Amino acid sequence: MTSELEQAPARTPLYARHIALGGRMVEFAGYALPVNYSKGVLAEHLFARAKAGLFDVSHMGQAFLSGREAARKLESLVPGDLLALEPGRIRYSQFTNEQGGILDDLMITRLAPGATGERLFLVVNAACKTADFAHLRARLPDLRLEILEDRALLALQGPSAAAVLERYLPGVSALGFMSQGAFVWRGFELFVSRSGYTGEDGFEISLPADAARPFADALLLEEDVEPVGLGARDSLRLEAGLCLYGHDIDTTTSPIEAGLAWSISKRRREEGGFPGAARIKKELAGGLTRMRVGLLLEGRAPAREGAEIANAEGVVIGRVTSGGFAPSLGRPIAMGYLPPAYALEGTLVNLIVRGKPLPARVVATPFVPNRYYRPAKA
Amino acid sequence: MSETLFTKDHEYIVVDGDAGLVGITEFAQGQLGDVVFVELPEIGVARKKGEQTAVVESVKAASEVYAPVAGEIIAVNDELADNPALVNEDPHGKGWFFKIRIADAGELSGLLDKAAYDALIGSLA
């Protein structure tokens, strides 16, 4: 039996704040979230690139996975190298299926070991979290999975993020890209990761639900911080050339096709031992039939997800998986899949929009250079 | 003397004699968000009432713009090619889309006047 109550979108701890800030609320992955606030997507996007944007990403799934040899056991479900991951470091990886497709992509942080063994902190996509957690429980029954439903997740992204956050969490600006640390703010425990999905330097902050509103309010009082909704979150990640699950990657695309080979170490490529390893090995050896590419449109009309990609002869050779206007570039960009013969930089193709061919060129991603913080080694 | 009428799909038409200047309303531009591209019809084409005549692309999505009445397209706003943001900044002025020669003035009676349109958007807010 399904009641209306169960169907209503869930609210994050910042729901009332989104409304007060003029958020245009939409349902996204079962949650009521703002697509933009009163200044609009363009202004929010450019502000995040210039100063710092605050994003509510509390809809994402957070969990601890712990137990004896938790890292080695999780390697049986993801191609990422977790044995080599040191405490306080973060790895981007994917849950793969037996066919080498992607069930979800996720961030894995190794924490300091506890009394019960190794401890990992996972952040997964909202739309996949129920399935991901069921998958973990079914496949790794001897590990303890603790789903953190009472924690919110905020992202502070942009060149001013480190200076601002340092005022609240002294020492946080020393974290390097893809590193994590625990901090205390007004007695609340915060897990702070130097990561994000905008291409900018920035942080993702996991914090108790009760702390989310006062902490967000404190940050929003800062001159260099403004709230950013889902619309600009999408245009920022597209400019950064990052994959959006369910669009650029899904159960049919492999990590290699998606251009994510960098997330699979030499040891894992050789040893395999994760679902779909055979396909990934074959594709790495040159057996690719399609690859994710960046597409820079020549004109001003955007091409969106689903648009066909045609060659000069008009033959359909692929499809756009993400596309839209790039505010930082002032022109439309897209990503899609093409056969390797067409995936070379500079290749000219046409994106078919409302029956008309829009000229576009294959380009390297990111479209906008990323600015991750990588401190020089001492 | 011109008169402004509205459709339920949030187009406006400023009727002046047998011609009408068409655009999208202040309410519509607010709903769409930042406009980044407008696809305009070719001059000389004929459109039926309710037929797709232009496309407006915002940062969020593409939306169709329909002809409020039947007629021939006699002018388009070329300034939108370089400055689509005019649709947001001045939807009822510099952000107009196209001018149509009204084929049948009788079709105007099926459109909304300002009071009726304001009531419609009031019910959507």
Side-chain angles (χ1 to χ4, degrees):
Chain A
M1 202 171 83
T2 310
S3 74
E4 267 183 41
L5 199 66
E6 281 165 343
Q7 289 177 341
R11 296 177 175 186
T12 72
L14 292 182
Y15 177 80
R17 185 50 79 241
H18 296 315
I19 302 289
L21 289 165
R24 187 179 292 276
M25 305 302 280
V26 296
E27 186 174 340
F28 181 80
Y31 286 81
L33 287 165
V35 65
N36 59 270
Y37 299 91
S38 48
K39 289 187 182 171
V41 175
L42 279 185
E44 291 169 22
H45 178 114
L46 297 173
F47 194 89
R49 290 257 185 263
K51 301 283 187 178
L54 183 68
F55 306 72
D56 179 13
V57 287
S58 302
H59 54 301
M60 298 186 79
Q62 304 180 62
F64 289 131
L65 186 69
S66 58
R68 253 178 59 90
E69 295 191 282
R72 190 183 61 76
K73 286 169 183 162
L74 184 55
E75 277 197 353
S76 69
L77 302 183
V78 304
D81 194 326
L82 305 181
L83 292 184
L85 190 63
E86 291 174 17
R89 297 284 297 165
I90 307 165
R91 193 77 86 208
Y92 167 77
S93 195
Q94 309 85 33
F95 288 117
T96 47
N97 64 20
E98 296 301 331
Q99 293 74 44
I102 302 173
L103 296 167
D104 194 9
D105 61 341
L106 75 159
M107 292 288 194
I108 303 162
T109 305
R110 189 197 280 259
L111 303 172
T116 56
E118 295 176 354
R119 289 166 68 230
L120 302 167
F121 172 58
L122 313 181
V123 177
V124 304
N125 281 302
C128 304
K129 64 184 178 184
T130 306
D132 290 346
F133 294 149
H135 181 59
L136 283 164
R137 286 210 161 107
R139 300 288 294 267
L140 305 175
D142 57 339
L143 293 182
R144 177 160 184 259
L145 181 72
E146 185 188 347
I147 301 168
L148 305 175
E149 301 206 27
D150 57 346
R151 289 186 82 84
L153 192 66
L154 303 179
L156 186 67
Q157 300 279 299
S160 302
V164 169
L165 205 57
E166 180 71 23
R167 292 200 272 274
Y168 299 87
L169 309 174
V172 81
S173 61
L175 287 173
F177 180 58
M178 296 298 266
S179 295
Q180 192 255 19
F183 294 82
V184 175
W185 180 77
R186 294 189 190 169
F188 293 108
E189 190 179 34
L190 278 54
F191 311 135
V192 183
S193 300
R194 193 121 193 200
S195 62
Y197 225 59
T198 60
E200 293 297 325
D201 181 22
F203 301 85
E204 290 189 332
I205 305 148
S206 166
L207 72 177
D210 291 344
R213 197 153 152 181
F215 194 68
D217 283 349
L219 293 177
L220 288 169
L221 282 174
E222 295 278 343
E223 201 175 308
D224 283 358
V225 177
E226 286 193 4
V228 179
L230 294 171
R233 180 170 165 79
D234 191 51
S235 54
L236 287 159
R237 73 91 201 160
L238 178 58
E239 285 185 347
L242 297 167
C243 292
L244 180 61
Y245 191 81
H247 302 264
D248 307 297
I249 49 176
D250 59 27
T251 53
T252 69
T253 57
S254 79
I256 310 307
E257 290 177 332
L260 303 173
W262 58 268
S263 68
I264 309 176
S265 71
K266 185 161 173 280
R267 176 180 68 83
R268 302 264 19 226
R269 293 175 191 202
E270 286 168 1
E271 291 179 5
F274 54 88
R279 172 178 174 186
I280 281 155
K281 207 162 195 171
K282 179 175 149 249
E283 289 179 347
L284 282 167
L288 268 182
T289 57
R290 58 175 183 167
M291 299 165 72
R292 181 172 60 94
V293 298
L295 297 160
L296 188 65
L297 285 92
E298 309 273 331
R300 295 191 67 128
R304 299 182 191 273
E305 181 178 2
E308 290 177 331
I309 308 172
N311 66 9
E313 289 75 46
V315 178
V316 174
I317 50 172
R319 202 171 280 276
V320 169
T321 52
S322 280
F325 185 76
S328 301
L329 301 175
R331 59 191 296 180
I333 56 174
M335 299 199 295
Y337 283 85
L338 286 176
Y342 291 96
L344 299 170
E345 274 177 52
T347 303
L348 298 175
V349 294
N350 287 307
L351 311 187
I352 312 301
V353 175
R354 295 183 287 274
K356 290 181 199 151
L358 304 182
R361 185 160 46 92
V362 174
V363 296
T365 57
F367 297 94
V368 172
N370 60 44
R371 295 197 278 189
Y372 303 134
Y373 177 67
R374 300 179 199 270
K377 289 209 171 93
Chain B
M1 187 60 202
S2 65
E3 176 194 17
T4 304
L5 297 169
F6 302 85
T7 71
K8 287 175 184 160
D9 298 312
H10 310 287
E11 291 97 6
Y12 67 80
I13 178 168
V14 183
V15 180
D16 190 359
D18 69 345
L21 202 62
V22 179
I24 64 167
T25 65
E26 169 66 26
F27 175 81
Q29 72 78 22
Q31 292 288 313
L32 289 174
D34 307 296
V35 171
V36 295
F37 178 75
V38 179
E39 185 179 291
L40 293 169
E42 284 176 27
I43 292 172
V45 301
R47 283 288 178 270
K48 293 184 193 116
K49 177 182 165 77
E51 195 176 356
Q52 186 202 311
T53 304
V55 178
V56 56
E57 296 258 11
S58 76
V59 282
K60 294 177 229 166
S63 308
E64 297 181 342
V65 176
Y66 307 104
V69 293
E72 179 194 338
I73 304 301
I74 52 176
V76 297
N77 185 357
D78 290 325
E79 278 189 60
L80 297 182
D82 288 328
N83 193 3
L86 288 173
V87 177
N88 297 115
E89 292 159 9
D90 191 13
H92 293 271
K94 289 180 178 172
W96 64 279
F97 281 39
F98 55 87
K99 200 170 187 178
I100 191 165
R101 188 180 311 285
I102 301 166
D104 174 8
E107 284 182 348
L108 295 171
S109 63
L111 300 177
L112 308 174
D113 63 13
K114 185 160 188 329
Y117 181 69
D118 287 347
L120 172 72
I121 60 175
S123 71
L124 298 175

